[in-house]
Amino acid sequence: MANSSDFQAVKDRVFADLGLYEQVSGLYDGQWVAGEGRRRIAVHSPINGEWLADVAAAADEDYDRMVERAWASFEEWSRVPAPKRGEVVRAIGDRLREYVESLGLLVTLEVGKTPVEGRGEVQEMIDIADFAVGLSRQLYGTTIASERPSHRLYEQWHPHGVVGVITAFNFPCAVWSWNAFIAGVIGNVVVWKPSPNSALTAIATINIVNDVLDEHGLPPLFFLAVDEAGEIGRRMSSDRSLPLLSFTGSVRTGREVAAKVGERLGRSILELGGNNAAIVTPDADMEIALRGVAFGALATAAQRCTTTRRLILHESLIDSFLPRLADAYRSVRVGSPLEPGVLVGPLINRSAVDSYSSAIGRAESTGGKVLVGNAVLELPGLENGNYVAPTLIEGLAPDSEIVCEETFAPILYVLRYSDLKEAFAIHNCVPQGLSSAIFSNNLREVEGFLSVVGSDCGQASVNTGTAGAEIGGAFGGEKETGGGRESGSDAWKAYARRQTVTVNYGAELPLAQGVTFDVG
Ligand code: NAD
């Protein structure tokens, strides 16, 4: 499937199925806005550099109109009973089921995930839609015992209004759906700014969703504005008419977003970079550990926020586990994700390839030894693709600058430890706190890892890797990862404003704390 006519055939099929054109609008403000006079973003596939389409970016002046329309929709949508809103999200989930193959393959063409991962991305949207449908009947508030006679005290949850969602390229539609479907059943309307690197997937997703809304005679609820270099993103950060902004992306951009939202005292959900580690102890099941570490470190060409970037290995395993992992690194197939058997596809663009090379250079110059990898690959027929060799590096200090950074490329730093306390210290010494794993069958080691002095991350896994979270749990991380939570559990509460209600149904006016205040 590497040759360009096969690639073109896949593209033609996917575009036809999804109703995509090679010239498309990246602005949906209640309707698709013709791209005339707007800047065009050329979308190229990271698989082979082939041009996929031109997307017309939203202009600055488009933004205000879009947000105004979103608020108009909110007036109507927020009055629809929550279970009815759930029925709409159920219909959206059902429609997405019809597009698992084609939307999944578009993810492959546009960001280079393998077809299995592309399908998984769409499946995640369907799963969160199911979750949101159930949630629409479970938006429970609490009743509290009032200290005053004939008084009722309770909490209720209202939608915020128009919620902004900014997403990263590497989960081009799943992360939007975590936000949009949960926010939607609560009664919010959503304005989405996707990454320009995954604009086509966003456009196709909004197309599918809009058809369902039209069929239900509903106003537009899910708006879209593609930008080229964060212009719309910056507007959203400082826009007081977005009470909540959910941002997924790098720590660097997230810092800017958080500062701007903070300045206007708005709310944000921050889902930023990770620097995830797996600890492998001598008591681990080595087969499970090997597969868990390899999947965590290599899947999606290491372009997951939860990718395993550090392996904390007991010193006694250096001569047994490490050579096996090195063999896996040497033998894993890197290439076009459209070819059967390929597990590691391309990086998103040339700049990601440059970051890979520069990180390895910095690692070597500070004492790192490359065990496997360190090559930018020119694959036959894929010369304009962005391929690199998965790389294992040993010998760096755990707190060295490069190890403490998230490089969004397949580089795994191997760090040794001798006792578990040291492993936890190494584990927690980086500024990020997203995902973590321990491979061990020793109860004390496992419970130590899960205790307050163990992993400091938002996600902690035992005998399974750092990557591949389920939608049922609240997803997010600590420290520089930003502290946000999305998806399952009670993460929905972030998309709602809590109101504490006091009702006096008596004939007196008793005051709280026994205060008396008699006038006249
Ligand atoms: P990025 O920070 O470059 O871009 C993220 C989004 O921010 C994009 O839509 C981009 O256009 C937009 N943006 C750029 N400048 C902006 C600005 N000044 N103001 C507002 N928005 C702006 O990230 P990326 O390269 O697309 O994605 C990779 C990063 O995302 C990694 O760090 C990864 O770990 C992180 N990520 C985190 C999670 C999580 O849940 N924690 C999930 C996925 C990705």
Side-chain angles (χ1 to χ4, degrees):
M1 191 55 81
N3 75 51
S4 73
S5 64
D6 289 342
F7 179 90
Q8 187 64 39
V10 174
K11 174 183 163 183
D12 291 347
R13 186 154 47 87
V14 165
F15 273 44
D17 200 31
L18 295 170
L20 272 182
Y21 297 96
E22 288 184 337
Q23 302 291 331
V24 276
S25 168
L27 174 64
Y28 181 82
D29 70 354
Q31 54 196 24
W32 289 107
V33 176
E36 276 99 54
R38 290 173 177 83
R39 217 171 327 156
R40 293 192 170 268
I41 303 168
V43 181
H44 295 270
S45 174
I47 296 175
N48 51 12
E50 291 212 8
W51 175 76
L52 290 173
D54 278 351
V55 175
D60 202 38
E61 57 274 19
D62 293 323
Y63 177 78
D64 294 321
R65 187 181 63 248
M66 176 180 65
V67 174
E68 201 178 304
R69 289 191 178 162
W71 274 104
S73 292
F74 174 71
E75 288 287 307
E76 197 175 325
W77 178 241
S78 57
R79 282 198 282 260
V80 173
K84 293 261 175 252
R85 295 195 289 253
E87 279 172 27
V88 176
V89 171
R90 184 206 310 279
I92 291 173
D94 285 345
R95 188 62 53 84
L96 286 168
R97 284 179 165 85
E98 294 169 24
Y99 290 98
V100 175
E101 287 302 319
S102 48
L103 192 53
L105 272 175
L106 180 62
V107 171
T108 298
L109 295 178
E110 192 175 28
V111 303
K113 290 192 184 195
T114 61
V116 171
E117 291 170 334
R119 257 197 310 277
E121 172 98 16
V122 185
Q123 187 58 47
E124 209 163 302
M125 300 176 85
I126 294 165
D127 293 345
I128 198 76
D130 285 350
F131 183 93
V133 175
L135 180 66
S136 70
R137 290 181 180 271
Q138 298 174 76
L139 299 167
Y140 302 135
T142 306
T143 296
I144 301 135
S146 172
E147 65 186 64
R148 287 171 278 180
S150 304
H151 274 59
R152 190 156 80 85
L153 194 58
Y154 68 97
E155 287 178 343
Q156 59 179 354
W157 298 86
H158 288 309
H160 286 296
V162 178
V163 169
V165 176
I166 300 177
T167 53
F169 80 86
N170 64 324
F171 280 97
C173 49
V175 166
W176 169 78
S177 69
W178 296 355
N179 285 278
F181 296 164
I182 302 289
V185 294
I186 293 168
N188 299 286
V189 169
V190 174
V191 167
W192 181 16
K193 193 218 85 64
S195 164
N197 293 318
S198 54
L200 289 177
T201 305
I203 291 165
T205 302
I206 289 293
N207 242 340
I208 294 168
V209 166
N210 279 339
D211 283 351
V212 179
L213 297 178
D214 283 350
E215 288 159 22
H216 281 73
L218 285 164
L221 303 175
F222 299 114
F223 294 75
L224 178 77
V226 174
D227 66 3
E228 195 175 27
E231 314 83 270
I232 298 287
R234 276 186 281 276
R235 288 287 306 272
M236 291 169 80
S237 301
S238 47
D239 186 355
R240 287 175 189 279
S241 59
L242 299 182
L244 172 68
L245 181 60
S246 171
F247 175 84
T248 303
S250 59
V251 169
R252 186 180 47 78
T253 318
R255 220 184 275 285
E256 188 185 327
V257 169
K260 283 199 175 141
V261 178
E263 207 173 295
R264 63 177 169 93
L265 298 179
R267 293 187 192 210
S268 53
I269 299 173
L270 298 172
E271 299 284 351
L272 312 181
N275 191 350
N276 319 295
I279 299 173
V280 178
T281 85
D283 284 338
D285 175 322
M286 293 303 155
E287 302 310 313
I288 288 185
L290 190 67
R291 286 178 52 210
V293 170
F295 172 76
L298 294 170
T300 324
Q303 296 170 110
R304 290 185 184 219
C305 50
T306 52
T307 291
T308 309
R309 307 205 181 274
R310 299 174 298 139
L311 168 63
I312 303 172
L313 191 60
H314 190 265
E315 58 191 4
S316 66
L317 301 173
I318 294 291
D319 294 331
S320 53
F321 188 85
L322 195 51
R324 291 189 64 195
L325 185 65
D327 282 346
Y329 263 62
R330 280 187 206 98
S331 61
V332 70
R333 271 194 71 193
V334 180
S336 165
L338 293 169
E339 277 180 42
V342 164
L343 291 179
V344 177
L347 295 184
I348 188 68
N349 51 29
R350 276 283 131 191
S351 135
V353 174
D354 293 344
S355 302
Y356 162 90
S357 302
S358 133
I360 296 172
R362 283 170 63 200
E364 285 186 313
S365 69
T366 49
K369 186 174 154 231
V370 173
L371 302 177
V372 185
N374 186 18
V376 174
L377 305 174
E378 290 243 332
L379 302 177
L382 301 169
E383 287 78 7
N384 293 319
N386 308 313
Y387 298 92
V388 298
T391 299
L392 273 179
I393 298 182
E394 211 206 347
L396 287 165
D399 60 353
S400 61
E401 215 177 68
I402 191 66
V403 175
C404 290
E405 277 175 28
E406 178 199 46
T407 302
F408 225 50
I411 301 171
L412 180 65
Y413 300 110
V414 182
L415 311 165
R416 307 172 181 220
Y417 79 91
S418 53
D419 74 74
L420 207 58
K421 209 166 151 207
E422 185 191 6
F424 294 164
I426 293 173
H427 181 277
N428 293 344
C429 80
V430 297
Q432 310 84 348
L434 181 53
S435 188
S436 58
I438 190 168
F439 290 89
S440 171
N441 286 333
N442 178 319
L443 183 71
R444 287 190 184 144
E445 290 181 340
V446 167
E447 288 295 335
F449 176 74
L450 298 175
S451 78
V452 67
V453 294
S455 163
D456 62 1
C457 289
Q459 316 292 306
S461 301
V462 176
N463 294 330
T464 185
T466 59
E470 294 185 26
I471 62 104
F475 184 80
E478 303 303 331
K479 303 195 290 184
E480 286 190 0
T481 302
R485 290 297 185 277
E486 288 175 359
S487 197
S489 184
D490 65 351
W492 66 270
K493 290 181 174 170
Y495 302 86
R497 64 182 169 85
R498 183 197 303 242
Q499 188 169 62
T500 303
V501 179
T502 311
V503 177
N504 174 6
Y505 56 88
E508 308 287 329
L509 184 66
L511 300 178
Q513 293 90 41
V515 171
T516 54
F517 193 82
D518 291 327
V519 281

